[in-house]
Amino acid sequence: MEVTEKVAIEHGLKKDEFIKICELLKRVPNITELGIFSAMWNEHCSYKSSRKHLKKLHTSGNQVIQGPGENAGVVNIGDDDALVFKIESHNHPSFIEPYQGAATGVGGIMRDVFTMGARPIANLNSIHFGSPQHKKTKNLLRGVVKGIGGYGNCIGVPTIAGQTSFDDSYNGNILVNAMTLGLVNKNKIFYSKAAGIGKPVIYVGSKTGRDGIHGASMASATFDDKVEEKKPTVQVGDPFTEKLLLEACLELMADNSIIAIQDMGAAGLTSSSIEMASKGKLGIELDLNKVPCREEKMTPYEIMLSESQERMLIVLEKGKENYAKKIFDKWNLDFAVIGKTTNSKKIELIFDNKKVAEIPINLLAENAPIYDRKWKKNKLPQKIKFDKNEFKSLKLSDCLKKILSNPNVCDKQWIWDQYDHTVMGDTIQKPGSDAGIVRVHGTKKAIAASVDSSASYCFSHPLTGGKQVVCESWRNLISVGAKPIAITNCLNFGNPEKEKNMGEFVECVEGITEASKYLNFPVVSGNVSFYNETKDKGIKPTPAIGGVGLINDYQKMITMGFKTSGNYVYVIGKTEGHLEQSIFARDLLSEKKGPPPSINLFNEKNIGENVLNLINENLIVSCHDVSLGGILTAVSKMCIKGNKGIKINQLKGLINKFEYFFGEDQGRYIAEIPKENVEKVNKILKSNSVHYDELGIVDKKMLNFNNDIKLPIEELKEVHKYWLTKYMDS
C-alpha cells in the first residue's frame, strides 16, 4: 500500500505529524512503519497532550521505590515487602463491547503488576455509566460487571472494592477503570529496561491474532455514529491463559534469567519492544516469521499492531533459552526466540528474510510530539442563595429516603455479588466499606485500598475537585484504620484539543498535585484517557484516584457499622452546611449550579491524623467518612451496616437542619465512641484543635431525630439496598 497523507490521517495522525515523520526519516514510511508511528505517537501511548502537565505531579516519598514511568508504581511496606499497584482505563473498548472491553481491562492491569514480579492480591474498579433512563445504560452495566467478574474470578484474584456512578455525561462514553495490587519482595522487582547487546528477545504467552489491531489508536479518538464498526479493535481475553502466564512468569523470575520484561498491552509488540529498547538506549531486531500466530498470512503490520491478550516480551540472559522454554512448555504456553538486542538504536523488522521496517528508536520515543495545548482557566462559580422557604415543604425523612435510593448513593451489592472477593483467603474487609482490606499473608500487616472520583465537583471547579478526590481517598483509608501511603490516578477527560476540556485537565492535575504533596500522599503510577467524547459531547472531568494504605496490625482494623447501644456518636470536623453540588441540591432542589465544597488541606491532614490516632489507640469502635449525601446519609449507612439505630441530639446553633444534615462539607468523619473513652477522646481532639459535634447516641433499631425522623433500620435497608437490584431486574 502506498503511504500518503490521507492514509496517515486515517491512522489517527495529524497532517503536520505525518510531515514531521517524513522529515525525521528523510523518506516516506512504508505501511508497517506508518502503523508503528501511529501507535507510538497516539495520545494513549505518547501522552503528547498531558506529558507537560504530568511532570508537575508529586511523585516522591520515603516509601516510594518506583514512581511513574514503569508498568506500575512500587512502595515499601516494611519487612522487605513491597506493594505494586496501578489503575488504568479501558473506556473506549468497554463502550464498544462491554464484556470483552472490561474483561481485558482487568487482564491488562494485572499483567502490568505481575510483569514487575508481583503476585496480584486484589482488584478494584471505578466504573461510570450514563443516566439509568438511557436506553443503553442497563446493558452496558450488565456487560461490564460480567466482564470484570468473569476475568477476575477465573484468574483467582479477589475484587475487594470499587466505585460506580451514573451521570448523563457518560451516555455516549462510559468509563471503566481497573486497578490491581500485587506483593513482591523489594529486592526482586523486575523492570522493563533492556540491557546488553546480542541478548535474546523472547515472546511468551498466547498466539498473536488479528484482534485489537488499532486498539491504542481507537482509544485516542472520539466516537461518532459508526461506533459499532470499531468492534474488531476490541481485544478478546482468556483469563485461564493469563493464570498460566502469571505462574510461568513468576517461576522464571525466581531465577536470575530475566534482564527486562514488558507486557504486550496497548500497541502490542510495537510498544513493548520499543519501550524496552528506549529505556535501555539500545536497538532491537525482530524476525516476525518467528512470532507465534493463530491466523494465517498475517502481515508484519498486523503482527506489530495486534493487541491480542496474555502475551509478554522478555529480554533474557544468553544461554537461558532452554531453561526458560521448559518452564513455558510446562505451563502449555507459546515460547519463541523472535529477536535480539542490538547496538543500532533502531527497531529493525525482518519478514520473509527481508527488512520490512527500520526506524531509529528515539524517533518513536523521545521525538514523539509533545503539545502545549491552549487551555481555559475555570472560574470558581458564585455561591447560591438558597430560598429557605423551599425547605419548609420538605420532610427530613422523605429527603433522606430519596438520597439513600439515589443511584450514586445506593447500595451496589448487585454488582459486587458477581465478584469473588474472598478467593485467596486474605480479604478481611469486603466491598461496601470505605476501603477493601487484604492481609499480607503470613504477617500481621494488611493493605487497605479504595478508588474514588467526583465528576460533579471537578466539573464545577476542577482545581477544587482535584484536591477533593485525593482527600476523599485519604479519608476512606483512615476510616478503616490505615495509614495512607500513596496513590495511583486514572485521568478521564474529553477532547484535549478543546480549551475548556484541556483547562479542566490542567487544573485537576494542579489540584491533585497540591493535595497529594501536602498530605504526603504521592502519585506513583497512573494513566490518562482523553477523547471520551461522542458527537462533540464530552464527559464531565473524572479523575479516579486509587489510594493504598498500611495497617501494621490487622486487628486494629475498624469497620463502619455501629456496634453497641449507648455509645456516643461524634461528627469530627466542622460542619458549615455547604449544599452547592450536593446530592440534596441536585435531587431535592433541582439546583446544579454553584461551587463545590472548599478544601482546607491543613484541616484534612490534622483531622485525619487525629482520627487515625484515635483508632490506633482503640478509642473509636466504628468510623465512616462524610461524603455524598452528608451527615445523615453517612449515619444511615452505619445504622444499616451495624443493624443499630441512633438517637440524634437537638441541633445547637443557627445552622439550618437541612444544611447540617445534607451539606457536603469536606474533612469530616462519623465516629462511634464508648462511654468510657469519651473524656479521653474530647481531650485529644481539643488539644489538637479539632472541632467535633456530639451528634447522638447509638440506639437499638431506629434512626430517630426529634419528631422529624423516625425510621426503622429495616426501612432504611429497603430504600438503600434494593434500588439497583430492582433496576436491573426491571
Side-chain angles (χ1 to χ4, degrees), residues 471-495:
C471 294
E472 173 73 8
S473 178
W474 165 271
R475 291 195 297 272
N476 279 333
L477 296 171
I478 284 173
S479 295
V480 298
K483 182 180 185 298
I485 299 175
I487 59 179
T488 180
N489 59 26
C490 193
L491 307 176
N492 307 279
F493 290 81
N495 185 345

PDB file of all heavy atoms in Angstrom, residues 471-495:
ATOM      1  N   CYS A 471      -8.314  13.926  48.747  1.00  0.00           N
ATOM      2  CA  CYS A 471      -8.706  13.946  50.161  1.00  0.00           C
ATOM      3  C   CYS A 471      -9.736  12.867  50.480  1.00  0.00           C
ATOM      4  O   CYS A 471      -9.717  12.277  51.564  1.00  0.00           O
ATOM      5  CB  CYS A 471      -9.242  15.322  50.549  1.00  0.00           C
ATOM      6  SG  CYS A 471      -7.984  16.630  50.496  1.00  0.00           S
ATOM      7  N   GLU A 472     -10.641  12.619  49.541  1.00  0.00           N
ATOM      8  CA  GLU A 472     -11.635  11.564  49.735  1.00  0.00           C
ATOM      9  C   GLU A 472     -10.946  10.201  49.882  1.00  0.00           C
ATOM     10  O   GLU A 472     -11.302   9.392  50.739  1.00  0.00           O
ATOM     11  CB  GLU A 472     -12.611  11.533  48.562  1.00  0.00           C
ATOM     12  CG  GLU A 472     -13.591  10.369  48.561  1.00  0.00           C
ATOM     13  CD  GLU A 472     -14.685  10.464  49.600  1.00  0.00           C
ATOM     14  OE1 GLU A 472     -14.797  11.519  50.252  1.00  0.00           O
ATOM     15  OE2 GLU A 472     -15.429   9.492  49.770  1.00  0.00           O
ATOM     16  N   SER A 473      -9.947   9.952  49.047  1.00  0.00           N
ATOM     17  CA  SER A 473      -9.183   8.705  49.148  1.00  0.00           C
ATOM     18  C   SER A 473      -8.470   8.621  50.496  1.00  0.00           C
ATOM     19  O   SER A 473      -8.480   7.568  51.159  1.00  0.00           O
ATOM     20  CB  SER A 473      -8.172   8.629  47.999  1.00  0.00           C
ATOM     21  OG  SER A 473      -7.397   7.464  48.084  1.00  0.00           O
ATOM     22  N   TRP A 474      -7.858   9.707  50.901  1.00  0.00           N
ATOM     23  CA  TRP A 474      -7.174   9.821  52.193  1.00  0.00           C
ATOM     24  C   TRP A 474      -8.122   9.469  53.343  1.00  0.00           C
ATOM     25  O   TRP A 474      -7.793   8.659  54.211  1.00  0.00           O
ATOM     26  CB  TRP A 474      -6.648  11.254  52.302  1.00  0.00           C
ATOM     27  CG  TRP A 474      -6.219  11.764  53.627  1.00  0.00           C
ATOM     28  CD1 TRP A 474      -7.018  12.386  54.564  1.00  0.00           C
ATOM     29  CD2 TRP A 474      -4.896  11.771  54.177  1.00  0.00           C
ATOM     30  NE1 TRP A 474      -6.268  12.771  55.646  1.00  0.00           N
ATOM     31  CE2 TRP A 474      -4.967  12.402  55.444  1.00  0.00           C
ATOM     32  CE3 TRP A 474      -3.664  11.313  53.740  1.00  0.00           C
ATOM     33  CZ2 TRP A 474      -3.846  12.590  56.248  1.00  0.00           C
ATOM     34  CZ3 TRP A 474      -2.551  11.492  54.549  1.00  0.00           C
ATOM     35  CH2 TRP A 474      -2.652  12.116  55.775  1.00  0.00           C
ATOM     36  N   ARG A 475      -9.335  10.041  53.323  1.00  0.00           N
ATOM     37  CA  ARG A 475     -10.307   9.801  54.396  1.00  0.00           C
ATOM     38  C   ARG A 475     -10.807   8.361  54.399  1.00  0.00           C
ATOM     39  O   ARG A 475     -11.019   7.777  55.468  1.00  0.00           O
ATOM     40  CB  ARG A 475     -11.479  10.767  54.266  1.00  0.00           C
ATOM     41  CG  ARG A 475     -11.140  12.215  54.569  1.00  0.00           C
ATOM     42  CD  ARG A 475     -12.393  13.049  54.769  1.00  0.00           C
ATOM     43  NE  ARG A 475     -13.223  13.113  53.591  1.00  0.00           N
ATOM     44  CZ  ARG A 475     -13.113  14.014  52.617  1.00  0.00           C
ATOM     45  NH1 ARG A 475     -12.186  14.944  52.687  1.00  0.00           N
ATOM     46  NH2 ARG A 475     -13.924  14.004  51.588  1.00  0.00           N
ATOM     47  N   ASN A 476     -11.019   7.796  53.221  1.00  0.00           N
ATOM     48  CA  ASN A 476     -11.506   6.418  53.169  1.00  0.00           C
ATOM     49  C   ASN A 476     -10.513   5.442  53.783  1.00  0.00           C
ATOM     50  O   ASN A 476     -10.905   4.469  54.442  1.00  0.00           O
ATOM     51  CB  ASN A 476     -11.795   6.018  51.719  1.00  0.00           C
ATOM     52  CG  ASN A 476     -13.143   6.517  51.240  1.00  0.00           C
ATOM     53  OD1 ASN A 476     -14.063   6.712  52.029  1.00  0.00           O
ATOM     54  ND2 ASN A 476     -13.276   6.751  49.947  1.00  0.00           N
ATOM     55  N   LEU A 477      -9.243   5.679  53.556  1.00  0.00           N
ATOM     56  CA  LEU A 477      -8.219   4.805  54.138  1.00  0.00           C
ATOM     57  C   LEU A 477      -8.144   4.981  55.645  1.00  0.00           C
ATOM     58  O   LEU A 477      -8.069   4.007  56.399  1.00  0.00           O
ATOM     59  CB  LEU A 477      -6.866   5.076  53.484  1.00  0.00           C
ATOM     60  CG  LEU A 477      -6.783   4.758  51.989  1.00  0.00           C
ATOM     61  CD1 LEU A 477      -5.474   5.275  51.403  1.00  0.00           C
ATOM     62  CD2 LEU A 477      -6.923   3.263  51.726  1.00  0.00           C
ATOM     63  N   ILE A 478      -8.157   6.217  56.087  1.00  0.00           N
ATOM     64  CA  ILE A 478      -8.112   6.489  57.526  1.00  0.00           C
ATOM     65  C   ILE A 478      -9.324   5.903  58.225  1.00  0.00           C
ATOM     66  O   ILE A 478      -9.217   5.369  59.342  1.00  0.00           O
ATOM     67  CB  ILE A 478      -7.989   8.003  57.770  1.00  0.00           C
ATOM     68  CG1 ILE A 478      -6.558   8.440  57.484  1.00  0.00           C
ATOM     69  CG2 ILE A 478      -8.392   8.368  59.209  1.00  0.00           C
ATOM     70  CD1 ILE A 478      -6.314   9.904  57.523  1.00  0.00           C
ATOM     71  N   SER A 479     -10.487   5.944  57.574  1.00  0.00           N
ATOM     72  CA  SER A 479     -11.725   5.464  58.194  1.00  0.00           C
ATOM     73  C   SER A 479     -11.692   3.980  58.543  1.00  0.00           C
ATOM     74  O   SER A 479     -12.478   3.525  59.374  1.00  0.00           O
ATOM     75  CB  SER A 479     -12.926   5.745  57.281  1.00  0.00           C
ATOM     76  OG  SER A 479     -13.137   7.127  57.137  1.00  0.00           O
ATOM     77  N   VAL A 480     -10.809   3.212  57.923  1.00  0.00           N
ATOM     78  CA  VAL A 480     -10.689   1.785  58.253  1.00  0.00           C
ATOM     79  C   VAL A 480      -9.468   1.506  59.118  1.00  0.00           C
ATOM     80  O   VAL A 480      -9.182   0.351  59.459  1.00  0.00           O
ATOM     81  CB  VAL A 480     -10.662   0.903  56.986  1.00  0.00           C
ATOM     82  CG1 VAL A 480     -11.961   1.053  56.209  1.00  0.00           C
ATOM     83  CG2 VAL A 480      -9.457   1.205  56.108  1.00  0.00           C
ATOM     84  N   GLY A 481      -8.718   2.582  59.456  1.00  0.00           N
ATOM     85  CA  GLY A 481      -7.563   2.407  60.333  1.00  0.00           C
ATOM     86  C   GLY A 481      -6.244   2.237  59.623  1.00  0.00           C
ATOM     87  O   GLY A 481      -5.269   1.761  60.214  1.00  0.00           O
ATOM     88  N   ALA A 482      -6.179   2.655  58.352  1.00  0.00           N
ATOM     89  CA  ALA A 482      -4.951   2.506  57.571  1.00  0.00           C
ATOM     90  C   ALA A 482      -4.212   3.837  57.454  1.00  0.00           C
ATOM     91  O   ALA A 482      -4.833   4.890  57.301  1.00  0.00           O
ATOM     92  CB  ALA A 482      -5.262   1.971  56.175  1.00  0.00           C
ATOM     93  N   LYS A 483      -2.913   3.771  57.499  1.00  0.00           N
ATOM     94  CA  LYS A 483      -2.085   4.953  57.252  1.00  0.00           C
ATOM     95  C   LYS A 483      -1.925   5.115  55.738  1.00  0.00           C
ATOM     96  O   LYS A 483      -1.366   4.255  55.071  1.00  0.00           O
ATOM     97  CB  LYS A 483      -0.708   4.804  57.882  1.00  0.00           C
ATOM     98  CG  LYS A 483       0.198   6.022  57.695  1.00  0.00           C
ATOM     99  CD  LYS A 483       1.558   5.798  58.348  1.00  0.00           C
ATOM    100  CE  LYS A 483       2.425   7.049  58.262  1.00  0.00           C
ATOM    101  NZ  LYS A 483       2.739   7.462  56.926  1.00  0.00           N
ATOM    102  N   PRO A 484      -2.421   6.214  55.149  1.00  0.00           N
ATOM    103  CA  PRO A 484      -2.306   6.394  53.700  1.00  0.00           C
ATOM    104  C   PRO A 484      -0.844   6.438  53.249  1.00  0.00           C
ATOM    105  O   PRO A 484      -0.016   7.108  53.880  1.00  0.00           O
ATOM    106  CB  PRO A 484      -3.007   7.736  53.451  1.00  0.00           C
ATOM    107  CG  PRO A 484      -3.924   7.916  54.633  1.00  0.00           C
ATOM    108  CD  PRO A 484      -3.188   7.310  55.791  1.00  0.00           C
ATOM    109  N   ILE A 485      -0.523   5.723  52.159  1.00  0.00           N
ATOM    110  CA  ILE A 485       0.857   5.645  51.674  1.00  0.00           C
ATOM    111  C   ILE A 485       1.034   6.376  50.353  1.00  0.00           C
ATOM    112  O   ILE A 485       1.900   7.229  50.197  1.00  0.00           O
ATOM    113  CB  ILE A 485       1.301   4.178  51.487  1.00  0.00           C
ATOM    114  CG1 ILE A 485       1.261   3.413  52.801  1.00  0.00           C
ATOM    115  CG2 ILE A 485       2.724   4.131  50.919  1.00  0.00           C
ATOM    116  CD1 ILE A 485       1.571   1.940  52.620  1.00  0.00           C
ATOM    117  N   ALA A 486       0.220   6.010  49.352  1.00  0.00           N
ATOM    118  CA  ALA A 486       0.430   6.537  48.007  1.00  0.00           C
ATOM    119  C   ALA A 486      -0.828   6.334  47.177  1.00  0.00           C
ATOM    120  O   ALA A 486      -1.747   5.607  47.562  1.00  0.00           O
ATOM    121  CB  ALA A 486       1.630   5.848  47.332  1.00  0.00           C
ATOM    122  N   ILE A 487      -0.844   6.989  46.011  1.00  0.00           N
ATOM    123  CA  ILE A 487      -1.998   6.886  45.126  1.00  0.00           C
ATOM    124  C   ILE A 487      -1.573   6.588  43.695  1.00  0.00           C
ATOM    125  O   ILE A 487      -0.436   6.821  43.292  1.00  0.00           O
ATOM    126  CB  ILE A 487      -2.869   8.172  45.139  1.00  0.00           C
ATOM    127  CG1 ILE A 487      -2.060   9.401  44.698  1.00  0.00           C
ATOM    128  CG2 ILE A 487      -3.485   8.376  46.501  1.00  0.00           C
ATOM    129  CD1 ILE A 487      -2.886  10.697  44.669  1.00  0.00           C
ATOM    130  N   THR A 488      -2.537   6.071  42.945  1.00  0.00           N
ATOM    131  CA  THR A 488      -2.434   5.939  41.504  1.00  0.00           C
ATOM    132  C   THR A 488      -3.623   6.677  40.914  1.00  0.00           C
ATOM    133  O   THR A 488      -4.682   6.756  41.548  1.00  0.00           O
ATOM    134  CB  THR A 488      -2.428   4.457  41.084  1.00  0.00           C
ATOM    135  OG1 THR A 488      -2.337   4.337  39.655  1.00  0.00           O
ATOM    136  CG2 THR A 488      -3.672   3.723  41.549  1.00  0.00           C
ATOM    137  N   ASN A 489      -3.475   7.258  39.730  1.00  0.00           N
ATOM    138  CA  ASN A 489      -4.587   8.023  39.187  1.00  0.00           C
ATOM    139  C   ASN A 489      -4.905   7.623  37.758  1.00  0.00           C
ATOM    140  O   ASN A 489      -4.028   7.260  36.984  1.00  0.00           O
ATOM    141  CB  ASN A 489      -4.345   9.538  39.279  1.00  0.00           C
ATOM    142  CG  ASN A 489      -3.092   9.986  38.529  1.00  0.00           C
ATOM    143  OD1 ASN A 489      -2.642   9.359  37.591  1.00  0.00           O
ATOM    144  ND2 ASN A 489      -2.539  11.092  38.943  1.00  0.00           N
ATOM    145  N   CYS A 490      -6.170   7.676  37.426  1.00  0.00           N
ATOM    146  CA  CYS A 490      -6.647   7.469  36.068  1.00  0.00           C
ATOM    147  C   CYS A 490      -7.436   8.719  35.701  1.00  0.00           C
ATOM    148  O   CYS A 490      -8.523   8.952  36.226  1.00  0.00           O
ATOM    149  CB  CYS A 490      -7.512   6.215  35.965  1.00  0.00           C
ATOM    150  SG  CYS A 490      -7.818   5.714  34.257  1.00  0.00           S
ATOM    151  N   LEU A 491      -6.887   9.508  34.788  1.00  0.00           N
ATOM    152  CA  LEU A 491      -7.419  10.834  34.498  1.00  0.00           C
ATOM    153  C   LEU A 491      -8.270  10.768  33.233  1.00  0.00           C
ATOM    154  O   LEU A 491      -7.759  10.735  32.115  1.00  0.00           O
ATOM    155  CB  LEU A 491      -6.266  11.828  34.351  1.00  0.00           C
ATOM    156  CG  LEU A 491      -5.281  11.837  35.542  1.00  0.00           C
ATOM    157  CD1 LEU A 491      -4.114  12.779  35.274  1.00  0.00           C
ATOM    158  CD2 LEU A 491      -5.991  12.221  36.838  1.00  0.00           C
ATOM    159  N   ASN A 492      -9.582  10.762  33.411  1.00  0.00           N
ATOM    160  CA  ASN A 492     -10.538  10.600  32.314  1.00  0.00           C
ATOM    161  C   ASN A 492     -11.124  11.959  31.923  1.00  0.00           C
ATOM    162  O   ASN A 492     -11.826  12.595  32.727  1.00  0.00           O
ATOM    163  CB  ASN A 492     -11.670   9.652  32.733  1.00  0.00           C
ATOM    164  CG  ASN A 492     -11.170   8.320  33.259  1.00  0.00           C
ATOM    165  OD1 ASN A 492     -10.839   7.424  32.508  1.00  0.00           O
ATOM    166  ND2 ASN A 492     -11.112   8.177  34.584  1.00  0.00           N
ATOM    167  N   PHE A 493     -10.870  12.361  30.677  1.00  0.00           N
ATOM    168  CA  PHE A 493     -11.314  13.677  30.220  1.00  0.00           C
ATOM    169  C   PHE A 493     -11.797  13.611  28.769  1.00  0.00           C
ATOM    170  O   PHE A 493     -11.655  12.600  28.086  1.00  0.00           O
ATOM    171  CB  PHE A 493     -10.171  14.699  30.344  1.00  0.00           C
ATOM    172  CG  PHE A 493      -9.834  15.032  31.770  1.00  0.00           C
ATOM    173  CD1 PHE A 493      -9.025  14.188  32.519  1.00  0.00           C
ATOM    174  CD2 PHE A 493     -10.340  16.168  32.380  1.00  0.00           C
ATOM    175  CE1 PHE A 493      -8.724  14.475  33.845  1.00  0.00           C
ATOM    176  CE2 PHE A 493     -10.041  16.461  33.707  1.00  0.00           C
ATOM    177  CZ  PHE A 493      -9.242  15.608  34.436  1.00  0.00           C
ATOM    178  N   GLY A 494     -12.352  14.722  28.313  1.00  0.00           N
ATOM    179  CA  GLY A 494     -12.831  14.824  26.940  1.00  0.00           C
ATOM    180  C   GLY A 494     -11.710  15.145  25.956  1.00  0.00           C
ATOM    181  O   GLY A 494     -10.535  14.823  26.184  1.00  0.00           O
ATOM    182  N   ASN A 495     -12.044  15.794  24.885  1.00  0.00           N
ATOM    183  CA  ASN A 495     -11.105  16.109  23.807  1.00  0.00           C
ATOM    184  C   ASN A 495     -10.136  17.206  24.252  1.00  0.00           C
ATOM    185  O   ASN A 495     -10.548  18.343  24.495  1.00  0.00           O
ATOM    186  CB  ASN A 495     -11.901  16.569  22.581  1.00  0.00           C
ATOM    187  CG  ASN A 495     -11.035  16.809  21.362  1.00  0.00           C
ATOM    188  OD1 ASN A 495      -9.818  16.912  21.445  1.00  0.00           O
ATOM    189  ND2 ASN A 495     -11.659  16.924  20.204  1.00  0.00           N
TER     190      ASN A 495
END
